[in-house]
Structures are given as C-alpha cells and as structure tokens.
Amino acid sequence: MSRPRILIVGAGFAGYRTARTLSRLTRGRAHITLLNPTDYFLYLPLLPQVAAGILEPRRVTVSLSDSLPDVRLVLGEAERIDLDDGTLRYTGPEGEEGSLSYDRLVLAAGSVNKLLPIPGVAEHAHGFRGLPEALYLRDHVTRQVELAASAEDPEACAARCTFVVVGAGYTGTEVAAHGQMFTDAQVRKHPLRQGMRPRWMLLDVAPRVLPEMDEKLSATADRVLRQRGVDVRMGTSVKEATHDGVVLTDGEFVETRTLVWCVGVRPDPLVESLGLPMEKGRLLVDPHLRVPGRPELFACGDVAAVPDLENPGSYTPMTAQHAWRHGKIAAENVAASLGLGGSRKPYRHRDLGFVVDLGGAKAAANPLGVTLSGVPAGAVTRGYHLAAMPGNRVRVAADWLLDAVLPRQAVQLGLVRSWSVPLDTSSPEVARVAGGPGRRADARSGPGAALAADTDDGGGPGRAGSPDEPAKGQPGSGTTQVRPGSGAARPRSEWETAKGRPLAGPPGSGHGQLRSEWETAKGRPLAGPPGSGHGELKSESETAKGRPAAATATAAGTAGEPARSRPVGEAAHNQPGGEPARNQPGGEPARNQPGGEPAKNQPGGEPAKNQPGGEPAKNQPGGEPAKNQPGGEPAKNQPGGEPAKNQPGGEPAKNQPAPAPPPHPPGPDHPAPGPVKRTDVPDVPDDPDDFTKGDS
C-alpha cells in the first residue's frame, strides 16, 4: 500500500511547526513535502535586531533541511492549485516550473505587507516582513548617517537623518526603539553638525503605542521611546509620500529619505485564487483548521480565519504565537484524517502574555499577566526568545553578549538593492532579482489587488505611480519587480542610477547593455554578443596591445557618422581606417549625440574644433597632411604616405616602410585587413542575465 502524500505550502511559524509535528507523528508512514521560497525558517520577532546590527542575519534563520530531515524540501513559490485534481503548480527559484500531487494539503503561506490607499507609499516606502528588507534597512540607515555627516547643507543633513516609521504595533515600536540606539551609536563615530542628532519618528492613527497590549505595557513602551529621543506622534499618519519627504495628516511636511512601513500585514494573495469562502482575505476554516466542504484541505497561520472559541464570534489574530500553535493542531488533525494516530482536536488557546524588546536592557512584558518593565522585562523577553527559537540559541546568546561589551560594526554591505525589496510584493522573504522569474501570474499581487484586499478594513481605491520609475531623490529607493516579457522597462539598480549608466537589457530587447565599472573607467565600448548590435567586449590583453574590439556593430546609428571632434569621413586616433572613434559602437556619433547629428559642439557638416574646413584632425591620416606640415608633404618622420602611429590594418608603424599592397582585392576569399578576433578570449555569453548579474 502506497504511503499518503502530505503537501505543506509555506515554512513560517505555522508551516514549520506543522512539518515538524507531522514528521514526528507519522514516523515515515507518509510522504511529507514542504514547498517554500527559501531553505530556512525565519524567526521574525528578532528581525529588528538584525536591522540594528545586533544579530547577524543567519542567527535568526534555521535550516529546513537540517532541522526537518524526514521532510522533502522543494524550493519554489506556489502558482496555481487545482483542488479537483489534487495538484499544485509552482515556479522554482530559477524560473523552472513543476507540479506536486497531494492527498492532504496544508496552506500556511503566511502574510505580506499591508498597503493603504495613500499616494506615494508604494513607491517610496519599504516594509519589514523579510530578511532582505531588514538587510536593506540596515545598509540604508548606515548610508544616510554617513552622507549626513559629510553634507555641507544643514537641510540635507537633517533630511537624511530623519527616519519615519509608520505603525506603532510590535514591529514598528521595536524598529524605532532599536533604530534610535543604532544611529546614536553611529554619530559618535561620524559626528553631525553642531546641535544635530538623528531623529526617529513613530506615527500611528491609534491613540497609544502598542494598542493591542495592556495599557501599562503601552505606557512603559511610550516612556522608553520618548526618553530615548523618538518623536512619538499618536493620532497622526502619512497623508502622502513624495521623493523629498512625507506629508502628515496634520498638514506638516517632514523632509526625509527613509519611510519604513509597519502598518500591518495581509494574507498571502495565493488563497484568493482558490475561490473559496473568505473573511477579510483569510480562508475560512472550522475549529479543526479544515476548510468546509474540502476534507483534504487544511489552512493555518495568517492565511486562515480560525474561530476563536474563547471569544465566540471572532477569529484569532494574525500573530506568531497563534501561528505556532495552529501548526501543532493542524499536524495532529491531518495525521488523524489519514488514520496515522490520534483524534481530531479543535483549536483553543490561552494567552501566556506578551513581550516587546525595546533595545538594550529595556523591554515591556507581562508573562502570565505579571506586568514588568526595565531590566527584569528585558531578561524575560530575551529568555522567551531563546526558548521559542527552534535553533541557533547559543549563537544568538553569544551575539547578545558581544553586543553588550563591543561596539557595533556599521558598514554598508550593499547586498540588497532598493528595487529588490518593493513594498508591494507577494513574496517579501525573497529579494527580487533583475531578469529573474516573476511572481505568480494569476495571483492578485499588484497595487490594485493589495488595496482591494484592504478595502474591507476601511480602505479605498489607491493611487499608484509608475511602477517602473525609480523613486526620485531616494538614495537606494526603487520600484517593484517587472516581470520578463511584460513590456515594461527593467528598474535601475542603485548602482546604475548613482553612476548615471544606461538601463540594462538583454540583447535585442531594445535596451542598452549595462556597462561594468571596468569598462566605464577605461572608456571602452558597450559590450554585447556578436550580432546583437553592440560592440564586442575587449579583453585587457587586447587593450594593452592597442588592438580594437573583435567585432563592431553596423546596425545601430548611421554608418560613417563623424566621431567626436573628428571631421566627417576621417578615421579616429588609433583606429583602423574607416572605423569609428573609441567608445563609439559601429559608426554611431559621439557620446550624448543623437543619431545622425554631428560631433559635440560641431555644427552640421563642419569640421572638428580648431580645424580648417575639410582638413583632418591633428596627426590623422587620410591622404591630407598632418598639422604644421606643408601641403602634400608626409607627416613628421613618416616615409611615403601618412599612416598614423601604431595603426593596424596594413599601415606601417612610426619610422617603418610602407608594406606592399595586398595581391588580391578584398573579397570573401581575401578579406580586407583589419582586427582579428582572438581565440584565447572567451566569447561574451548570450545569456542576458550574465550582463546584470554583478549588480543584482
């Protein structure tokens, strides 16, 4: 008899606990498959400490393969679920597609950033739901402090050192508390202008900080934040976000380069595509976490609306504590439905209390209903996290100890770009990659879908800007991922925008190829594969020997257009006869010149600067004498003829006699003299991803 197949979608708190419990209950009597975009479980409550430089990123991740040895891990994102056929289609991390069959399906896909219909937020704000977003925020804050320390304009310094956090729940409160300590430590090494210090603002429409917690804990958190210097503004939120700052609901304009969006979460859009009964974006389930009418389908965590038996008529909130407990009950009920042990159990819970880490030795906690603050609350909070983590406890404790006795390292790693972590994404745990596979095509994951999902909570239609235009004035800001084949331009990376480089694109896509720093510094032409319309990339050895590129393009531009500061039809310095100037692909005009127009600062058809009409540039061959040479006489030290210095193509070098003309006219069997492509240099790959991989 074949073993039943159990498929779990998502490895967050609910999915990870389901897989671990099922592995223990079934003891090899079932095939358990876990589908997840990453190969780790992320302990979200400690993510603010990663952004503040206290913990290294791997400390808050637990390897799925190591901790779940009896579970098959499949890397990918769910695309479509066929409930009638019992199959799930997914897309792997490299764009490959696959299919998984199941007898029992557990949906634990988690949640994504919640958007509100506020103009400019989707373009200028960043969320805080995944490890890439935390790494980006750490780099971004470090960069702003360093730029502010060197800024000459006081207003620019103040704008860069103003950080706005929207949402005073667990995440937003901890981000603001840790962020203020992090930037204060940085300015001790990079002092700002006299009388200036980093400014963190915490905004929320709620009447108090941590509105979901006890009032005593809320008051404790508010007091710690204000003592630390955080500008706490309750009853206030963002009315509009721009590239220069944010407009608050009270009319004040705050200049800033940083907007952290911690308003809340919404269920993963995958569950909307099932066409089953929903409750505010969550899949309705019974107290046993089974979807009514679908005995093979279970749901838990943030995607499930689980009835709260302790509070009839309501549903359990979307918190990590509930998701962790959901996973255990879901696993027991799945095993019971397959006859692999136990009986079905309804989900019931009892609150054990809450903890909020405020940085340093400060915290707010109420374990078992006992209200604590200060050092005792800090000890309880960190003890709770160590007990709740499924791994890495010793490493986390060691990082805490080192942070207490050593200064933090504030450096920019540059691993995550702004456009890699858009606010509106259905997969915040994965950084977007230029030219990589897109997210679910049939899932509602665009700005309109996000706002529609939030309409039930009082939202309305949103106003979104161009999704493909980088946020102006935002260092490190960018746009959402553009799917391949969508017809939209790929967003620029921070590096491209800062360097002023052209937009990258694959050969034949209509976009220019991305130059490397090496090419730009050396003034080399744009690289591209043969036949793509771009010049071949030179190797260092070719450049050192003065050789031209292996092939030049003839499709772009107008052949024979003049090079910069060269008379029409004349050859450029160090170029074989008739070839364009350096940095010019296949006969195109000079840099920054529209096609077909003459060289820089040259009126149409007129010769180069300081050159008499019709005469060639300085030291240029072409049948006419060089500068300071009497008419018809050869150039200085040049025997018979005027070949330029070190010119390939059959022309002699300096002080060398002219070679004999070729015995045959140029043709297919006897090509014209010119550059020879080296065989010891590998060809430029045709894969367009190879041109952008260095900046993704």
Side-chain angles (χ1 to χ4, degrees):
M1 181 177 178
S2 62
R3 293 183 294 173
R5 298 161 300 176
I6 304 173
L7 175 60
I8 305 169
V9 179
F13 280 91
Y16 180 83
R17 185 79 181 275
T18 301
R20 194 173 74 169
T21 306
L22 271 172
S23 178
R24 176 178 55 84
L25 292 175
T26 59
R27 299 183 182 276
R29 293 175 292 171
H31 286 288
I32 305 174
T33 302
L34 179 61
L35 176 67
N36 197 58
T38 64
D39 64 349
Y40 59 80
F41 160 76
L42 175 65
Y43 190 74
L44 271 170
L46 292 181
L47 206 56
Q49 298 191 25
V50 174
I54 299 174
L55 297 177
E56 288 301 311
R58 287 187 296 175
R59 303 294 187 258
V60 298
T61 61
V62 177
S63 171
L64 297 177
S65 300
D66 292 345
S67 58
L68 302 173
D70 298 325
V71 176
R72 176 194 174 199
L73 173 63
V74 177
L75 293 178
E77 300 179 58
E79 295 282 350
R80 185 175 65 258
I81 300 175
D82 190 336
L83 296 176
D84 296 328
D85 192 38
T87 58
L88 180 146
R89 300 285 300 178
Y90 71 93
T91 299
E94 296 182 351
E96 70 279 11
E97 295 184 352
S99 178
L100 297 171
S101 301
Y102 61 85
D103 297 308
R104 295 291 185 272
L105 175 63
V106 181
L107 291 178
S111 56
V112 298
N113 294 310
K114 179 181 180 180
L115 297 183
L116 297 178
I118 300 176
V121 166
E123 294 77 31
H124 300 285
H126 288 281
F128 202 80
R129 289 292 301 166
L131 195 57
E133 293 171 322
L135 293 176
Y136 165 75
L137 182 61
R138 185 170 71 177
D139 274 4
H140 176 74
V141 170
T142 301
R143 178 169 59 254
Q144 296 309 307
V145 173
E146 291 173 349
L147 291 174
S150 60
E152 297 182 358
D153 183 9
E155 293 184 358
C157 179
R160 292 191 182 281
C161 273
T162 299
F163 308 94
V164 179
V165 181
V166 184
Y170 291 100
T171 303
T173 300
E174 291 187 347
V175 168
H178 283 281
Q180 186 71 65
M181 293 186 65
F182 181 48
T183 53
D184 284 346
Q186 281 187 269
V187 298
R188 285 194 286 268
K189 301 177 182 178
H190 304 278
L192 301 179
R193 287 178 165 271
Q194 184 69 26
M196 298 183 65
R197 64 169 295 192
R199 175 193 182 194
W200 285 77
M201 297 182 65
L202 181 61
L203 312 176
D204 203 309
V205 295
R208 57 188 176 90
V209 174
L210 300 172
E212 64 274 18
M213 294 185 65
D214 181 82
E215 290 188 7
K216 294 182 179 179
L217 295 181
S218 176
T220 298
D222 186 272
R223 183 178 66 254
V224 171
L225 290 172
R226 294 181 187 274
Q227 289 176 349
R228 195 165 289 169
V230 178
D231 186 358
V232 180
R233 299 194 185 186
M234 295 295 99
T236 306
S237 188
V238 172
K239 182 179 180 180
E240 182 181 1
T242 69
H243 62 277
D244 292 324
V246 294
V247 180
L248 305 184
T249 52
D250 59 7
E252 180 183 353
F253 180 77
V254 178
E255 292 190 8
T256 181
R257 300 293 185 269
T258 308
L259 180 58
V260 187
W261 193 254
C262 302
V263 170
V265 295
R266 60 186 173 95
D268 190 287
L270 173 67
V271 296
E272 297 181 13
S273 64
L274 300 178
L276 297 174
M278 310 286 290
E279 173 63 27
K280 294 185 178 180
R282 294 196 283 174
L283 199 61
L284 278 173
V285 298
D286 61 22
H288 301 93
L289 308 183
R290 176 179 285 183
V291 176
R294 291 286 178 178
E296 79 285 358
L297 181 59
F298 294 77
C300 54
D302 291 347
V303 299
V306 181
D308 189 347
L309 300 182
E310 301 296 326
N311 299 287
S314 62
Y315 300 93
T316 58
M318 299 166 64
T319 64
Q321 279 192 21
H322 283 292
W324 187 253
R325 297 167 182 174
H326 286 175
K328 182 176 183 294
I329 297 299
E332 292 175 349
N333 290 338
V334 168
S337 70
L338 294 171
L340 299 179
S343 59
R344 294 198 311 160
K345 299 179 181 178
Y347 177 71
R348 292 182 179 273
H349 72 93
R350 184 172 66 91
D351 287 336
L352 301 178
F354 300 93
V355 295
V356 179
D357 187 358
L358 300 176
K362 302 295 181 67
N366 61 345
L368 301 177
V370 179
T371 303
L372 299 175
S373 62
V375 176
V380 169
T381 299
R382 297 203 169 184
Y384 167 78
H385 287 315
L386 287 179
M389 289 192 68
N392 291 344
R393 296 185 182 94
V394 175
R395 290 186 173 93
V396 169
D399 276 1
W400 283 341
L401 179 62
L402 292 175
D403 180 69
V405 298
L406 296 176
R408 300 179 197 175
Q409 289 181 302
V411 294
Q412 301 178 52
L413 299 180
L415 301 178
V416 181
R417 305 296 181 182
S418 173
W419 56 265
S420 300
V421 284
L423 179 64
D424 185 22
T425 174
S426 54
S427 186
E429 65 272 19
V430 178
R432 300 293 90 181
V433 179
R439 182 64 165 131
R440 293 187 288 268
D442 57 341
R444 299 171 63 193
S445 59
L451 298 174
D454 296 331
T455 302
D456 294 334
D457 295 329
R463 174 183 152 194
S466 172
D468 304 320
E469 181 182 354
K472 298 178 181 178
Q474 290 281 357
S477 75
T479 59
T480 58
Q481 166 74 5
V482 179
R483 296 172 182 158
S486 65
R490 183 183 70 78
R492 299 189 184 189
S493 68
E494 294 179 5
W495 177 80
E496 292 175 273
T497 306
K499 297 289 184 181
R501 290 175 171 78
L503 196 61
S509 66
H511 306 300
Q513 292 292 324
L514 179 64
R515 297 190 186 189
S516 67
E517 291 188 357
W518 177 79
E519 292 176 277
T520 306
K522 298 291 184 181
R524 290 176 172 78
L526 202 59
S532 66
H534 306 294
E536 289 281 312
L537 180 65
K538 293 186 183 183
S539 68
E540 291 190 11
S541 59
E542 289 179 295
T543 306
K545 295 177 181 296
R547 297 177 184 173
T552 55
T554 58
T558 304
E561 287 292 323
R564 185 165 122 184
S565 300
R566 304 291 179 194
V568 177
E570 293 295 327
H573 185 61
N574 290 330
Q575 296 295 328
E579 293 191 8
R582 189 173 65 179
N583 295 331
Q584 298 301 324
E588 291 187 2
R591 188 173 63 180
N592 299 326
Q593 295 297 323
E597 295 186 11
K600 182 177 179 182
N601 299 324
Q602 297 298 323
E606 294 186 12
K609 185 177 179 181
N610 299 324
Q611 297 295 326
E615 294 185 9
K618 181 179 178 180
N619 298 325
Q620 294 301 317
E624 295 186 15
K627 186 175 180 181
N628 300 323
Q629 297 294 327
E633 295 184 10
K636 184 177 180 180
N637 298 324
Q638 296 292 332
E642 303 89 15
K645 180 180 178 180
N646 296 326
Q647 292 295 323
E651 296 181 359
K654 184 176 180 180
N655 300 322
Q656 297 295 326
H664 301 283
D669 298 330
H670 303 281
V676 178
K677 184 175 180 180
R678 295 189 58 177
T679 59
D680 59 335
V681 179
D683 290 335
V684 178
D686 291 332
D687 184 5
D689 290 342
D690 289 343
F691 293 99
T692 60
K693 192 170 295 182
D695 302 301
S696 62

